[in-house]
Amino acid sequence: ELIDFGARLLPGIRTDRVRMFGFSGGGQFVHRYAMLHPARVERAVVGAAGWYTFPDPGLPYPLGIDSGTLPADLGFDREGFASNPLLVLVGDRDIDAGAFRRRLWRDWVDYDLDELQGRGRLQRARRWVAAVREQLPNANIVMQEVPDTGHRISEAMRAGAARFLAE
């Protein structure tokens, strides 16, 4: 069970459902949190995540949502995740593979990440959004490619995230 420290620290401020923005590794956290705790997320922005958890029950976690590989206290709420507004932002020039090019986190996972998810963050974001739309046709997900932007938080990306979160 999640402990809501915010309600204790900020009396009168609603903290039961949050609006989130994360960039790069923070984007990885945000999309996974939104997938596994949708009741706690009002809307979220994923900025240029390095890697994604696909809504595919045939892939082990963290590549997918195979219930046998998810932590015991977690589950994937398909309808909850699909109903929350989600924006994926990535630079149209965020095409480098990045420094993290080893096999994924556990011995039991033996996948070529570039082949599965894509070589750069732009391709990875496109593939993940397409997979979400395929697995969850009613998903409330939007992707925006930020012009003239590599792997950085540009002013256009900040503004897009702020607009989306303020809706």
Side-chain angles (χ1 to χ4, degrees):
E1 177 178 331
L2 296 171
I3 299 172
D4 192 352
F5 292 109
R8 292 183 196 157
L9 298 173
L10 303 167
I13 302 293
R14 184 175 166 220
T15 60
D16 58 321
R17 287 181 51 92
V18 296
R19 294 174 181 224
M20 306 174 76
F21 171 57
F23 179 79
S24 196
Q28 288 175 203
F29 171 80
V30 165
H31 89 274
R32 289 183 182 129
Y33 190 87
M35 291 177 87
L36 298 173
H37 301 287
R40 303 239 350 153
V41 177
E42 191 168 317
R43 57 182 41 234
V45 178
V46 176
W51 305 99
Y52 291 89
T53 296
F54 281 64
D56 184 341
L59 289 173
Y61 183 80
L63 290 175
I65 56 164
D66 173 22
S67 61
T69 57
L70 278 169
D73 59 337
L74 296 177
F76 179 57
D77 175 0
R78 296 174 67 85
E79 288 73 31
F81 175 68
S83 68
N84 288 338
L86 182 71
L87 171 63
V88 177
L89 291 172
V90 64
D92 66 350
R93 294 183 182 172
D94 199 349
I95 58 173
D96 293 330
F100 182 68
R101 304 216 3 118
R102 61 181 173 82
R103 290 188 178 177
L104 206 56
W105 307 280
R106 308 238 189 279
D107 294 341
W108 43 263
V109 177
D110 190 21
Y111 292 94
D112 180 330
L113 293 177
D114 288 346
E115 184 178 321
L116 179 67
Q117 296 205 358
R119 181 156 170 80
R121 287 176 182 85
L122 177 60
Q123 188 177 47
R124 292 175 202 146
R126 287 174 177 165
R127 286 184 183 179
W128 185 70
V129 169
V132 168
R133 288 178 176 154
E134 179 182 319
Q135 293 283 328
L136 306 162
N138 61 333
N140 192 352
I141 188 169
V142 178
M143 182 176 164
Q144 293 177 3
E145 296 178 19
V146 182
D148 302 318
T149 302
H151 190 63
R152 64 183 177 85
I153 302 177
S154 66
E155 188 53 42
M157 189 176 287
R158 279 192 183 108
R163 275 191 305 275
F164 186 80
L165 292 174
E167 290 178 13

